[in-house]
Amino acid sequence: MDSWRNKMTKPALVVIVGPTAVGKTKTSIEVAKAFHGEVINSDSMQIYQRMDIGTAKVKPEEMEGVPHHLLDICSPEEDYSVADYQKDAQQVIDDLHNRNKLPVMVGGTGLYVRSVTHNYNFNDAISDPSYRQELEEFVNNYGVDALHSRLQEIDPERARQIHPNNVRRVFRALEVFRATGSTVSDRYAEESPYNLAVIGLTMDRERLYERINLRVEMMVQEGLFDEVKKLYESNVRDTQSIQAIGYKEIYRYFDGEYSSETAIEQLKRNSRRYAKRQLTWFKHQMDVEWFDMTNGKLDEKIPSILRFVAGKLDLKSN
């Protein structure tokens, strides 16, 4: 595939999206193997070290020799923004193109994906010191939760990404809206800098929810409570990482608010709700070629997915 990049006016990028537990990881590896590619994580919680089971992070033995990027790049105590991800992902994509490797981005965090595919400019909103002072006074009078509620009303997707205690990032998101009239979630370029092949995996909701429930039970068997306990005992609190589904519920167990059974049920419920939000977001925000994974095994769907990628990007598979 040495000449694939020369066939296009823009560099190629494969993107695989969809809800949790639908089969994105395996699909990304098969696509990468077929087209001399490497995988780039775009799940906002898989960037964190020591958070493997609860984020369903790909295991080394599951990678089948395919290099993976942007996994385990931050400690759980660190904040990591969409702008950080965009910069890091673009660097990886450029490196892969320079090595004649096809980048295959996979994950379920919509803002991470679109920050790259549509090259959002994070530096074009002018700061407003007087408005910042107004927001600071609001926090002093009404608290961080009330401030976060203001962001929730304007930009629910962005609010979901930012913990209420991360006041600086809430301030910034509100400033962007004040200065530009549009939300951070909406401020993307219309045209992508890449020649995109965007694959979406979907599934009958009842079947997907069964898979999610089963995945949670498997996580518990694999030691999820022990993984979370180590973070809890390390005093990792009020951070972006611990807001992840699978961690915040079990933290409440260790805080004595939930029984283990309640924590597991809440984890299943929150995972199902998140999957629903993921599907809704990608169906409205991305130009996606959808593949229904409800009937048949994933292996039976791979040939049609590979044909789509080959046709879209004018590639030949191995």
Side-chain angles (χ1 to χ4, degrees), residues 198-240:
V198 185
I199 298 159
L201 305 184
T202 187
M203 185 177 287
D204 172 78
R205 184 167 296 177
E206 183 175 343
R207 174 63 178 145
L208 178 63
Y209 287 176
E210 289 174 358
R211 286 173 60 90
I212 290 171
N213 291 339
L214 179 60
R215 170 178 278 189
V216 170
E217 291 168 7
M218 291 178 63
M219 287 176 172
V220 172
Q221 292 175 10
E222 290 174 357
L224 177 59
F225 277 76
D226 288 338
E227 179 174 272
V228 178
K229 185 178 181 181
K230 291 176 182 177
L231 295 168
Y232 185 89
E233 292 179 342
S234 298
N235 293 318
V236 180
R237 279 192 172 272
D238 297 328
T239 63
Q240 181 178 319

Side-chain angles (χ1 to χ4, degrees), residues 195-313:
N195 188 18
L196 294 172
V198 185
I199 298 159
L201 305 184
T202 187
M203 185 177 287
D204 172 78
R205 184 167 296 177
E206 183 175 343
R207 174 63 178 145
L208 178 63
Y209 287 176
E210 289 174 358
R211 286 173 60 90
I212 290 171
N213 291 339
L214 179 60
R215 170 178 278 189
V216 170
E217 291 168 7
M218 291 178 63
M219 287 176 172
V220 172
Q221 292 175 10
E222 290 174 357
L224 177 59
F225 277 76
D226 288 338
E227 179 174 272
V228 178
K229 185 178 181 181
K230 291 176 182 177
L231 295 168
Y232 185 89
E233 292 179 342
S234 298
N235 293 318
V236 180
R237 279 192 172 272
D238 297 328
T239 63
Q240 181 178 319
S241 61
I242 300 306
Q243 298 314 303
I245 296 170
Y247 295 85
K248 60 183 179 181
E249 297 86 358
I250 298 178
Y251 258 57
R252 298 187 74 172
Y253 162 72
F254 287 119
D255 281 338
E257 298 178 35
Y258 284 166
S259 67
S260 60
E261 293 80 7
T262 300
I264 292 168
E265 287 306 311
Q266 289 294 309
L267 171 51
K268 290 179 179 179
R269 185 200 68 170
N270 291 339
S271 296
R272 294 192 299 265
R273 290 180 173 178
Y274 180 53
K276 182 179 178 181
R277 292 196 302 271
Q278 286 175 302
L279 274 172
T280 300
W281 197 94
F282 286 118
K283 287 181 176 178
H284 287 87
Q285 298 289 336
M286 301 282 292
D287 182 12
V288 178
E289 183 77 12
W290 290 98
F291 293 85
D292 192 335
M293 313 304 287
T294 303
N295 299 316
K297 298 179 180 179
L298 175 60
D299 290 344
E300 297 172 356
K301 299 287 184 176
I302 292 298
S304 59
I305 291 173
L306 297 182
R307 284 194 296 271
F308 166 73
V309 173
K312 186 78 172 177
L313 302 180

Side-chain angles (χ1 to χ4, degrees), residues 10-21:
K10 295 190 289 187
L13 175 62
V14 176
V15 181
I16 300 173
V17 299
T20 185

Side-chain angles (χ1 to χ4, degrees), residues 154-171:
I154 293 169
D155 189 352
E157 178 65 20
R158 187 63 173 154
R160 189 185 65 79
Q161 298 284 330
I162 303 176
H163 189 271
N165 289 341
N166 197 334
V167 175
R168 177 181 58 82
R169 293 179 67 202
V170 177
F171 280 169

